[in-house]
Every structure is written in C-alpha cells, then in structure tokens.
C-alpha cells in the first residue's frame, strides 16, 4: 500500500494535479538522490541506426528536488510497426501532429545539460539520443547511469533486472508501463525501494561510481582528450612501443575515443584495448570517406595487433570469365596482384583464397545445372558425371548449345561482377567538414586511391603523378559505395 501511495504521489508531483508543501514526505525522501536526469524513451524499434524516437519523458533532480519534468510525443517521420503499438500503445495517429526531434532538440538539451543521464538500460536510450542529435549535426556528450547495472550491483542475488522483473519482485505497479513517463516513475520508485532496503549510503556509492565517467588509462591526461576535435578522422592507440595496437576511424573523434574508455565495454576486445593504451594520436580528415581510406591505409602499413579485418590479404582471388566460347575452361582465377583494369568487365567477385573462389563456382554449377567440365572443375571428354546424375543440362553431351550455356553462366555470375572504371582518367571526390571548414579532395584512378590533396600544389602533383595500378579491395568497396551516394565529382 505504501508503494502504491508513493506511485500516486509521484504522478501528482510530476503532472501538477495538486500542490504539495515543500516539506512533504516524498520530497524529503527524494532529497537523498544525487543530481541527475532520469529519462525514458519509446521508439519504433530496437536499432538507433534505422528506428526513431516516438516519445520522451524525463525528470531533472537537483539538490534533492525534482526541479523539472518534461514529456513529449515525437513524430518519428515513419510509420510505427503494429507490434510496437501493441507494446507502447502509441499509434501513428497520436504522433502525426507531434513535433519532430529536430524541433524539440534545443529544449531537450536544456533539460539534459550538465547532469548525468540515468535510464533503465541507458545504452539504449543514450544511443538513440546521440544518433538523433548526430542527424542534425549536433553532439551529445553526457555521463550516464544505468539502473539495470545498478540493480545487478546492489541486488546480485537476483537474476532478472528488467523493469518487469523489478516490479514483480518489489510489488510495484503502474498503469503506464512502456510509456515514457510511466517508466520514469517506475525508476524513481525503484530507487526509493533500494534506499529503504539497503540504505542511502550504499546506493549513492554505487551511483557515484557509475557516474564517474570514462576511466582513463594511466598516463592519459583528461586535458589531452579535451584537445581532440569531435570531427572526422583516424585515431591511433599505442601501448608500450612505437607500434600502434589499434587504429580506428570516426566522424566524431572525441566521442568515439571516449567510448573506448567507458565502463560499459561492448566486448572483451574493447576492454583489452582500453587497458593497454598508453598514448593516443589522431589525424583529422574532412569527411568520412577520407577517414575510411586513411584507416585502411594505416592498418595495412602498421599492422596493429587488434585490427585483423582490414589487414591486406595477398591471396585474394577473382573469377575471370572467358571472352569467347573457344577459350576453355570458361572460368579461370586471377590473383589480386595480377589484376588488370583492361579486363575488369570480365571479373566476378573477390575471394580470400582460390579455394573459396572454386567452392563458389562449384555451388553456382549445382544451383544452375552448369557443366563442371566447361567451368574447369573437372577434366575429361564426353558427358560429365553431373550429367549422368541429371545435375548438368548437357552441354557436354550435345544436349544444350554452348552459346546458351555460356549465357546462363554469365547470368549466374552477374551479381558478383566487378564494376569497370566509369570515368576517362582521374577524378576527385571533395569533402568539406561543415564545422571546421577543413577541405580535402580524394583522388582516384581505375579504383586506386592516388592521393589526398588539400591545396593547389598538392593538386598539381596529383595531376602529374605517374599511375601504377595497385588494386585494393577495401578501396574498391569504399569508392563504389561513395559513387552511389551522389558525391561531388571533380574531373581532372
């Protein structure tokens, strides 16, 4: 009954239904809490990359008092899945006239500024908030407090630490579960329960421990991190030697580097990296493409211990299709070091080994009833073994014309085809950082990165430099993606 009374009382305080004296019992109980903002959001789904916020609610606590409470529905700019509506009760009709996140962003920032952000599974809420601010070219940087982690620390004997489990365990009730303000109130009630069961000193110690912010490695000065710009670029982590242990990129350098030193590591690898860092360097770029290219280049040159995905693999193989029917077998394999841009339109796929490429062709032959003999998968004369098993359409037995068989093979490969260079000579892609004004032009020819230029002298050098074809799969992927995004092209 006492918890039900507190629940009703919090609603009264938050929504202003009745006035309450300052010395009321609830305010006295809340005065033990450190300064913080307790927040909850509802969304269209679970990914901050693809989904959007539909509702936000918060209370701001300063000096032991709730000094602000705010809530708003948000128009996500997309339909709300019916499965989400069943959970939250929020419909498309409810949010159609609501403000967008961009419209409420300044107001929300005023409520958040200067205090730790507390939420139940704060990584989820904070991730969505940061993503929304990034979409409007703003940066959100807050200390955080996760009440799920707090629950695990102060009640380790229990298994479930979600709000539903907490409600059941402590007898809490609400008529607004999965609505933003309803869940904010549940967090407030839960903190009060924890205080009563364990004492305010124990709970405050755990809260303060979580709100310390990033735990920087020995030798890394916080003043250094303040000098790192929140702009695009590449960062290098060094251990005890002059060789980097990890190289990364980000469009927000400082934010990304700080994430490495948060107490809430996403993986054991990130934890190991954070523990070994003794020195940090960074290189600014004008945009994301420049950062990606520089990251790839530096990783291949420096071979950091914790970067494995982008290390160069000299065993890369591509599949080459014969130009004419009399060239047998119709499939051959070309290593990355042997590639020539003159026959890119005959190349399909890029594989980490010849074995991987061969297995792909073998599977294509099975899926499309192609002759393994014509594809170079087996030798011999006459009908192949697959034809006897009715897995080949019979080009080897005169049952299908070579022309049709070749056409079917080409069609089966089409999805893997490497793109021919679409320009006559060199081109540049211009990037400009909207905040710093830094400008760079990335120069390419035949899918190869020629240079990064920042002034007229470097531009002239890039125009006159000799071209040497050196295919890099990572550069090819980055460039094909960039060209599809309507980037600004400068022709030389």
């Amino acid at each position: 009954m006492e918890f039900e009374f507190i629940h009703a009382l919090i609603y009264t305080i938050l929504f202003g239904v009745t006035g309450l004296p300052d010395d009321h019992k609830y305010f006295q109980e809340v005065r033990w809490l450190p300064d913080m903002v307790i927040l909850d959001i509802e969304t269209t789904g679970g990914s901050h990359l693809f989904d959007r916020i539909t509702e936000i609610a918060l209370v701001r606590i300063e000096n032991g008092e709730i000094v602000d409470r705010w809530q708003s529905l948000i128009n996500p700019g997309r339909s709300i899945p019916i499965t989400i509506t069943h959970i939250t009760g929020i419909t498309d009709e409810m949010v159609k006239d609501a403000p967008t996140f961009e419209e409420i962003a300044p107001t929300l920032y005023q409520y958040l500024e200067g205090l730790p952000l507390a939420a139940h599974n704060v990584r989820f809420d904070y991730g969505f908030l940061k993503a929304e601010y990034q979409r409007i070219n703003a940066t959100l940087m807050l200390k955080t407090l996760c009440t799920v982690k707090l629950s695990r620390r102060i009640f380790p004997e229990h298994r479930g630490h979600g709000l539903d489990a907490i409600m059941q365990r402590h007898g809490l009730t609400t008529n607004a579960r999965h609505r933003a303000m309803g869940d904010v109130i549940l967090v407030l009630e839960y903190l009060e329960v924890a205080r009563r069961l364990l004492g305010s000193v124990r709970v405050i110690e755990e809260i303060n421990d979580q709100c310390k912010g990033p735990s920087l490695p020995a030798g890394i000065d916080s003043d250094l991190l303040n000098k790192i710009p929140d702009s695009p670029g590449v960062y290098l982590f060094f251990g005890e030697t002059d060789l980097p242990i990890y190289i990364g990129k980000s469009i927000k350098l400082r934010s990304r580097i700080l994430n490495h030193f948060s107490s809430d590591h996403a993986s054991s690898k990130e934890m190991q990296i954070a523990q070994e860092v003794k020195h940090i360097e960074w290189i600014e770029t004008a945009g994301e493409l420049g950062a990606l290219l520089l990251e790839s280049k530096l990783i291949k040159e420096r071979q950091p211990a914790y970067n494995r995905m982008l290390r160069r693999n000299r065993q890369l193989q591509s599949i080459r299709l014969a130009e004419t029917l009399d060239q047998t077998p119709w499939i051959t394999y070309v290593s990355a070091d042997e590639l020539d841009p003159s026959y890119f339109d005959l190349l399909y796929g890029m594989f980490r080994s010849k074995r991987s490429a061969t297995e792909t062709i073998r599977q294509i032959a099975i899926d499309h009833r192609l002759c393994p003999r014509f594809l170079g998968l087996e030798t011999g004369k006459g009908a192949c073994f697959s034809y006897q098993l009715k897995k080949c359409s019979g080009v080897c037995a005169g049952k299908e014309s070579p022309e049709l068989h070749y056409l079917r093979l080409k069609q089966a490969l089409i999805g893997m085809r490497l793109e021919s260079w679409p320009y006559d000579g060199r081109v540049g892609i211009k990037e400009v950082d909207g905040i710093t004004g830094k400008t760079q032009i990335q120069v390419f020819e035949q899918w190869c990165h020629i240079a990064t230029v920042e002034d007229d002298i470097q531009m002239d050098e890039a125009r006159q430099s000799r071209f040497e074809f050196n295919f890099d799969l990572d550069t090819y992927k980055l460039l094909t993606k960039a060209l599809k995004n309507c980037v600004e092209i400068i022709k030389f």
Side-chain angles (χ1 to χ4, degrees):
M1 289 297 295
E2 190 171 11
F3 289 145
E4 292 178 2
F5 168 75
I6 293 174
H7 181 81
L9 192 54
I10 294 174
Y11 260 104
T12 301
I13 295 168
L14 293 177
F15 295 107
V17 177
T18 62
L20 292 170
D22 287 343
D23 62 350
H24 193 279
K25 176 182 178 182
Y26 176 71
F27 282 106
Q28 292 175 356
E29 290 169 342
V30 133
R31 283 176 183 149
W32 69 275
L33 282 172
D35 293 354
M36 67 177 74
V37 175
I38 301 177
L39 172 142
D40 186 77
I41 65 172
E42 302 301 331
T43 67
T44 61
S47 171
H48 65 260
L49 298 176
F50 307 107
D51 295 302
R52 298 292 185 269
I53 296 173
T54 58
E55 187 179 36
I56 302 176
L58 61 85
V59 296
R60 184 179 173 99
I61 299 172
E62 294 184 57
N63 300 316
E65 293 185 2
I66 297 176
V67 296
D68 285 304
R69 57 268 192 186
W70 179 81
Q71 63 179 332
S72 178
L73 288 169
I74 308 295
N75 187 331
R78 61 188 58 192
S79 62
I80 301 172
I82 189 64
T83 53
I84 299 297
T85 295
H86 284 159
I87 295 172
T88 66
I90 300 174
T91 65
D92 291 332
E93 182 67 22
M94 290 169 62
V95 299
K96 72 174 185 178
D97 296 323
T100 64
F101 185 88
E102 184 172 5
E103 291 171 332
I104 61 93
T107 299
L108 175 61
Y109 187 80
Q110 290 178 355
Y111 288 121
L112 298 175
E113 188 177 16
L115 294 184
L117 175 68
H120 213 65
N121 189 12
V122 73
R123 178 185 285 269
F124 178 86
D125 300 74
Y126 191 35
F128 266 90
L129 292 175
K130 288 195 296 184
E132 292 284 12
Y133 274 104
Q134 286 176 0
R135 292 185 186 102
I136 58 174
N137 297 317
T139 301
L140 184 66
M141 293 182 63
L142 301 170
K143 293 181 179 180
T144 59
L145 165 66
C146 180
T147 51
V148 173
K149 292 174 65 177
L150 178 66
S151 179
R152 290 182 181 135
R153 292 284 295 272
I154 61 181
F155 295 114
E157 68 273 18
H158 298 297
R159 295 187 62 183
H161 297 278
L163 277 181
D164 291 328
I166 287 173
M167 289 172 64
Q168 182 177 5
R169 184 158 61 241
H170 298 295
L172 302 177
T173 60
T174 181
N175 294 324
R177 179 74 176 99
H178 294 300
R179 289 299 301 271
M181 187 58 81
D183 287 352
V184 166
I185 292 170
L186 278 173
V187 172
L188 276 169
E189 292 179 335
Y190 170 60
L191 291 173
E192 174 59 20
V193 169
R195 182 191 71 84
R196 292 188 178 192
L197 295 176
L198 302 174
S200 59
V201 174
R202 168 72 193 287
V203 179
I204 289 173
E205 285 178 350
E206 295 292 350
I207 290 174
N208 290 338
D209 187 58
Q210 277 201 50
C211 292
K212 286 179 180 177
S215 179
L216 300 180
I220 302 297
D221 194 332
S222 59
D223 290 339
L224 172 69
L225 293 180
N226 292 331
K227 296 177 183 178
I228 301 174
D230 223 18
S231 57
V234 171
Y235 58 94
L236 300 89
F237 288 165
F238 295 85
E240 300 288 353
T241 70
D242 293 335
L243 293 175
I245 60 173
Y246 182 78
I247 297 174
K249 68 86 190 171
S250 178
I251 59 172
K252 301 284 186 181
L253 276 173
R254 189 195 308 118
S255 300
R256 180 67 188 101
I257 291 171
L258 286 173
N259 282 343
H260 277 283
F261 306 119
S262 69
S263 58
D264 189 15
H265 294 104
S267 66
S268 58
K269 173 186 170 182
E270 285 202 1
M271 182 178 296
Q272 288 178 308
I273 292 172
Q275 291 173 344
E276 294 182 29
V277 175
K278 305 298 181 185
H279 174 63
I280 300 173
E281 294 180 6
W282 66 91
I283 304 170
E284 292 180 66
T285 62
E288 185 176 20
L289 177 61
L292 287 164
L293 289 166
L294 182 58
E295 176 195 36
S296 177
K297 176 185 176 183
L298 290 176
I299 289 173
K300 291 177 176 66
E301 290 177 350
R302 309 279 188 97
Q303 297 284 299
Y306 287 105
N307 293 97
R308 293 194 177 99
M309 292 301 293
L310 286 177
R311 290 182 181 181
R312 186 177 182 187
N313 187 336
R314 294 184 177 274
Q315 302 302 315
L316 288 176
Q317 299 277 325
S318 186
I319 295 167
R320 180 174 179 176
L321 180 64
E323 296 182 66
T324 61
L325 299 182
D326 57 355
Q327 290 178 305
T328 55
W330 289 346
I331 293 293
T332 54
Y333 304 93
V334 184
S335 70
D337 293 336
E338 299 171 332
L339 293 182
D340 190 307
S342 64
Y343 54 71
F344 249 56
D345 56 341
L346 297 172
L347 296 178
Y348 297 84
M350 193 62 67
F351 305 88
R352 297 198 176 276
S353 66
K354 183 177 180 180
R355 178 179 178 181
S356 176
T358 303
E359 289 303 315
T360 298
I361 290 298
R362 195 179 303 279
Q363 189 60 50
I364 287 175
I366 293 171
D367 294 342
H368 297 272
R369 301 185 74 244
L370 297 170
C371 181
R373 187 165 295 163
F374 275 68
L375 274 55
L377 296 173
E378 64 178 56
T379 58
K381 296 182 179 180
C384 69
F385 186 63
S386 292
Y387 176 70
Q388 298 176 42
L389 299 177
K390 299 184 178 181
K391 294 182 178 180
C392 166
S393 61
V395 63
C396 51
K399 301 297 183 181
E400 182 182 38
S401 70
E403 291 80 7
L404 178 57
H405 202 76
Y406 180 86
L407 182 62
R408 292 200 302 110
L409 169 60
K410 195 172 183 178
Q411 190 65 34
L413 293 170
I414 197 67
M416 299 189 300
R417 183 176 178 178
L418 298 185
E419 297 183 33
S420 297
W421 182 241
Y423 302 101
D424 183 16
R426 296 183 182 181
V427 299
I429 296 179
K430 185 177 181 180
E431 291 187 300
V432 180
D433 188 324
I435 298 176
T436 65
K438 185 179 183 66
T439 301
Q440 291 179 326
I441 298 175
Q442 307 297 337
V443 184
F444 301 92
E445 183 175 353
Q446 295 292 348
W447 303 116
C448 298
H449 185 219
I450 304 300
T452 299
V453 302
E454 299 187 22
D455 55 42
D456 292 339
I457 295 176
Q458 292 177 347
M459 181 68 83
D460 289 339
E461 291 175 350
R463 286 194 180 100
Q464 299 171 17
S465 63
R466 180 181 176 183
F467 173 65
E468 293 184 8
F469 182 74
N470 184 17
F471 182 80
D472 179 82
L473 180 59
D474 299 310
T475 301
Y476 171 80
K477 290 180 177 179
L478 291 173
L479 185 51
T480 52
K481 183 178 180 180
L483 294 177
K484 293 175 182 177
N485 291 334
C486 302
V487 293
E488 181 181 350
I489 300 296
I490 299 173
K491 295 187 178 180
F492 283 68

